[in-house]
């Protein structure tokens, strides 16, 4: 008849539950938090508490912060290095920090630009190379 379905491993169950609760895979979650400026020691504690809570719910083994994919750690280190080297401009209209964005549609689709972090209120933009 139908082949038996192989049971999910602990790691698969944890990753599925983590993604369902947080909305992103653990490595993506860590990269986002690091890019947002969260201290690594504080992030390690936050992540480990969250991982243990999720693992208890789905009765599996938690993936610790130290066990995350090394590619994700290298990518987060690269993002931190790039963010520290790049000067973030201020909005000329409201004075808020600008955010590096990529155009999703229109004539400049795929090009990067600086957009104001107060986007709905302030719609000021700048070219990526211009600072």
């Amino acid at each position: 008849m139908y082949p038996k379905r192989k049971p999910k491993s602990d790691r698969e169950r944890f990753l599925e539950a983590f993604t369902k609760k947080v909305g992103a895979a653990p490595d993506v979650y860590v990269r986002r938090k690091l890019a947002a400026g969260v201290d690594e020691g504080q992030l390690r504690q936050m992540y480990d508490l969250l991982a243990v809570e999720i693992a208890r719910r789905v009765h599996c083994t938690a993936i610790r912060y130290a066990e995350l994919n090394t590619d994700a750690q290298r990518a987060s280190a690269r993002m931190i290095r790039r963010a520290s080297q790049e000067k973030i401009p201020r909005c000329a209209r409201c004075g808020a920090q600008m955010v590096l964005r990529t155009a999703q549609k229109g004539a400049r689709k795929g090009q990067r630009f600086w957009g104001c972090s107060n986007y709905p209120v302030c719609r000021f933009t700048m070219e990526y190379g211009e600072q």
Side-chain angles (χ1 to χ4, degrees):
M1 261 267 213
Y2 296 105
K4 284 189 176 181
R5 214 167 69 193
K6 200 168 121 179
K8 292 182 180 176
S9 69
D10 264 5
R11 185 178 180 88
E12 289 170 333
R13 285 198 333 250
F14 175 78
L15 291 174
E16 185 178 294
F18 191 96
T19 304
K20 188 174 184 179
K21 178 161 177 88
V22 177
D27 54 338
V28 174
Y29 170 79
V30 168
R31 266 189 276 143
R32 286 180 183 167
K33 290 292 185 182
L34 286 171
V38 176
D39 178 53
E40 189 169 353
Q42 183 182 5
L43 177 61
R44 181 183 303 266
Q45 289 176 342
M46 283 174 29
Y47 174 82
D48 283 343
L49 287 172
L50 181 63
V52 168
E53 176 192 335
I54 291 170
R56 279 189 186 151
R57 276 201 188 141
V58 293
H59 307 291
C60 65
T61 308
I63 297 175
R64 296 277 178 206
Y65 182 84
E67 297 173 18
L68 288 177
N69 190 346
T70 56
D71 292 340
Q73 291 174 350
R74 272 190 248 124
S76 64
R78 194 171 52 241
M79 286 174 65
I80 291 170
R81 201 175 329 108
R82 185 177 62 204
S84 66
Q85 291 171 352
E86 195 168 283
K87 185 175 182 276
I88 299 173
R90 293 264 174 195
C91 178
R93 286 191 191 152
C94 67
Q97 275 194 337
M98 302 291 274
V99 179
L100 190 59
R101 302 181 187 271
T102 306
Q104 299 298 315
K105 55 187 173 182
R108 299 176 181 226
K109 183 176 181 176
Q111 293 182 359
R112 301 174 90 187
F113 66 94
W114 290 105
C116 184
S117 58
N118 291 333
Y119 167 65
V121 177
C122 178
R123 295 175 177 264
F124 183 75
T125 60
M126 282 181 2
E127 293 290 326
Y128 177 59
E130 164 192 341
Q131 285 186 4

